[in-house]
Amino acid sequence: MASDDVAQLADSLAKTQVGEGELSYKGQGLKLNDAQSAEEIVKAIREFKGLQALRLEGNTVGVEAAQAIAKALEDKSDFQCCYWSDMFTGRLRSEIPPALNSLGAALINAGAQLKVLDLSDNAFGPDGVKGIEKLLKSTACHTLQELRLNNCGMGIGGGKILAAALTECHKKSSELGAPLSLKVFVAGRNRLENDGATALAQAFQLMGSLEEIHMPQNGINHPGVTALASAVQHNAQLRVLNLNDNTFTKKGAIAMAQALKHLRSVQVINFGDCLVRSEGAIAIAEALTDGLPILKELNLSFGEITEEAALAVAKAVERKDQLEKLDLNGNCLGEEGCQNLQELMQNMNMEDMLGSLSDDEGEPEEDDDEDDDEEEEEDEEEEEDDDEDEEEEEEEDEEEENEEEGEDEPSKPSQVDVADVGKTVEAFLKISSVYKEDDPEVKTAVLESIDAVLRKMFSLPSAQTFSFISSLLVMLGLLKSEDKVKPVAVVAGHLQCLEHAVKQDYFPREHIAVLHAFMARYKHTHSSHLFCNFLTLITLIMSS
C-alpha cells in the first residue's frame, strides 16, 4: 500500500464518527481496493460492541475489501442499518454483485435483524439486485422497515427480481408469524417502466404496510400507474406518494384518483410532471372532496391542466385545514386563469399555500386540446386493436381446431372479452364450476376452455393480468374488496381448474407467488382437502 494512500486513510479515519451504535465513514472518499486497505475499518468494526449501523456512503469499495468488511460483520448480531449508498464509485459493474453477496451473507450469518437497507446511487443494474436477492429473502430482512434503492438502474428485470424477493420475504416471515412490514420504499430513477412497476405493485398489495412510496422518473405509463393504484389502496397507512415525472395521462390519473378515495392518512402527493391532464385533475379533485383529510402537500405541476380543472382542484382543498402547499405551476391556465386561481385561493384565505405560477404554459390552443384527445384515443385504439387482432387470430385457430376435431366447447371461450377483467373472472368461475373429475368428456372440454380463456388473458399487458389475479382472489374470498363485492361459493371445480392452470406455461410465475401468499394466509380457515392440495402444489412449483 503506497505511503500517500496510508496517509490519506489515516487522515480519513481520524474523521470517523462513532455515535451510539453507529460507525460512520460517510463522505470520506476512501478507496478500499483490497483487504489491506480496509484493515483499519475492519479493526474498528470488530472492536465495536453492539454495532447497529455502518455508514459507508461516499467511498468506493472493491470486492476484496467488501469480503474483509463482511468477515468482520459476521458476529454483529445487533446490526440493523446498512447506509451503503454511493459506495461503488468507479467500480466495474461486475464487481458489485460479489461485493454485495459477501456483505449480505455476513449479515445472514450474524443473525442480524435489519431495519434499514440503503443502496441508493449505486448504478448496479439488474445484476446488482441479484446481489442482494438472497439477503432480501432471508430472515435478516423479515424486520426490514426501509428499503432505499434510488438511482440504481435496476430496469424492468431488476424490478421483477426485487418484487419476487419481497414477495418471498413476506411469505417466509408470515409463516413465522411476523409478516414483513416494510414502511418506506424508494426506487426513483430506475427505468422500471410498466412491467417493473406492475411486479412491484403486486408485492406492495401483498404487504399492505407501506407509509411512503417514492418512484419518480421510472418511465411508467398508465398500465403501470393503474397497477400501482390498485396496490396503494391496500396500504391504509400510506402517508407519502411520490410518482413525479411518470406519464399518467387521463386513464392513469383517474385510476389513481379512485384509489386515493380509500386512503385517510396521506399527507404528501407528488404527481408533478405526470401529464395528469384536465380530466385526471378533476378526478383527483373529486377524491380530495371525498377523502384525504390530513393532506399537507399536493403537486400537480406541469400536467397540461387547464383553468377549469385547476379551479376544481383549488376548491377541493378548501376544507383541508392541514394543507401547506398546492403546486399547480407549469400548467395551461393562461394569464386570466392564473389570476382567477390566485383570487380563489385568496378568497379562501389560502393564498400563502399556492405555489408560484411563473412557469404557466398559457392557455392551450383548441387544436392542442384536440391533438391531446386524439393522441390518447389513438393510444387506446392501438391497444384495443392489438388485443382484437390477437383475439381474432386465436379465435380463428380455435375454430379450425374445433372443425377438425368436431368438438363444441361448453362456454365458447373465444367469445369472452378478456380485456374486461370482470367478465374474464366471471367466465373462469362459470366454466370451472361445471368441472367433473369422473366425467372425462366434460373434464377435457372444461380444461380446454379454461386454457383458451387464460392463455388470452395472460398474453395481455401485465397490468391487466395483475387485475385479473386480484379480482379472482376477491371472488374466491381470499382478498377483501374495497367495493364490498360478494365472493362466490367456492366449489371443487374452481380449485381443480386453478390447479390445472398454474401448471401451464402461460401462467406467470410471479402470479403463482401472489396466489400462494394469499392462500397461505387462509389455510386455517379453508382447510378442505382440495384447498390444501392446491397450496401444496403451488409451494412445489415455487420451490422448483
Side-chain angles (χ1 to χ4, degrees), residues 9-27:
L9 181 59
D11 182 56
S12 296
L13 291 171
K15 301 174 188 173
T16 299
Q17 297 174 1
V18 179
E20 188 176 346
E22 179 180 294
L23 188 59
S24 176
Y25 297 92
K26 182 178 179 180

Side-chain angles (χ1 to χ4, degrees), residues 117 120 132 136 144-150 154 158-160 162-163 166 180-188 190 192 196-197 199-201 203-204 207 209-216 218 220 228 235 238-243:
L117 178 58
S120 297
I132 58 170
L136 287 171
L144 194 64
Q145 294 180 9
E146 297 184 19
L147 180 58
R148 299 177 181 273
L149 297 169
N150 201 58
M154 289 190 288
K160 287 183 174 181
L162 178 60
L166 290 172
L180 168 67
S181 297
L182 191 68
K183 291 181 169 56
V184 177
F185 180 84
V186 182
N190 271 293
L192 294 170
L200 286 164
F204 295 168
M207 291 185 291
S209 57
L210 286 165
E211 296 179 8
E212 295 186 26
I213 297 174
H214 302 264
M215 297 174 67
N218 269 297
I220 305 169
L228 287 168
N235 287 263
L238 190 68
R239 293 184 294 105
V240 179
L241 181 57
N242 177 7
L243 296 175

Side-chain angles (χ1 to χ4, degrees), residues 498-518:
L498 200 51
E499 182 176 326
H500 165 81
V502 298
K503 292 187 284 188
Q504 307 310 308
D505 59 0
Y506 58 72
F507 205 103
R509 194 173 182 85
E510 60 266 28
H511 293 334
I512 295 174
V514 174
L515 280 174
H516 182 278
F518 280 97

Side-chain angles (χ1 to χ4, degrees), residues 250 253-254 276-284 309 373 376:
K250 178 180 72 175
I254 290 173
V276 298
R277 294 194 170 139
S278 295
E279 286 180 83
I282 289 170
I284 291 169
D373 292 340
E376 195 151 317

Side-chain angles (χ1 to χ4, degrees), residues 200-276:
L200 286 164
Q202 294 178 350
F204 295 168
Q205 180 164 333
L206 187 60
M207 291 185 291
S209 57
L210 286 165
E211 296 179 8
E212 295 186 26
I213 297 174
H214 302 264
M215 297 174 67
Q217 288 183 286
N218 269 297
I220 305 169
N221 299 324
H222 74 77
V225 173
T226 301
L228 287 168
S230 297
V232 298
Q233 63 185 298
H234 294 278
N235 287 263
Q237 301 307 310
L238 190 68
R239 293 184 294 105
V240 179
L241 181 57
N242 177 7
L243 296 175
N244 186 282
D245 199 9
N246 290 293
T247 307
F248 283 35
T249 61
K250 178 180 72 175
K251 264 188 174 180
I254 290 173
M256 192 59 73
Q258 291 301 314
L260 291 173
K261 289 180 180 180
H262 300 285
L263 301 172
R264 310 292 295 174
S265 301
V266 174
Q267 297 177 6
V268 178
I269 295 174
N270 187 344
F271 296 160
D273 206 13
C274 283
L275 206 65
V276 298

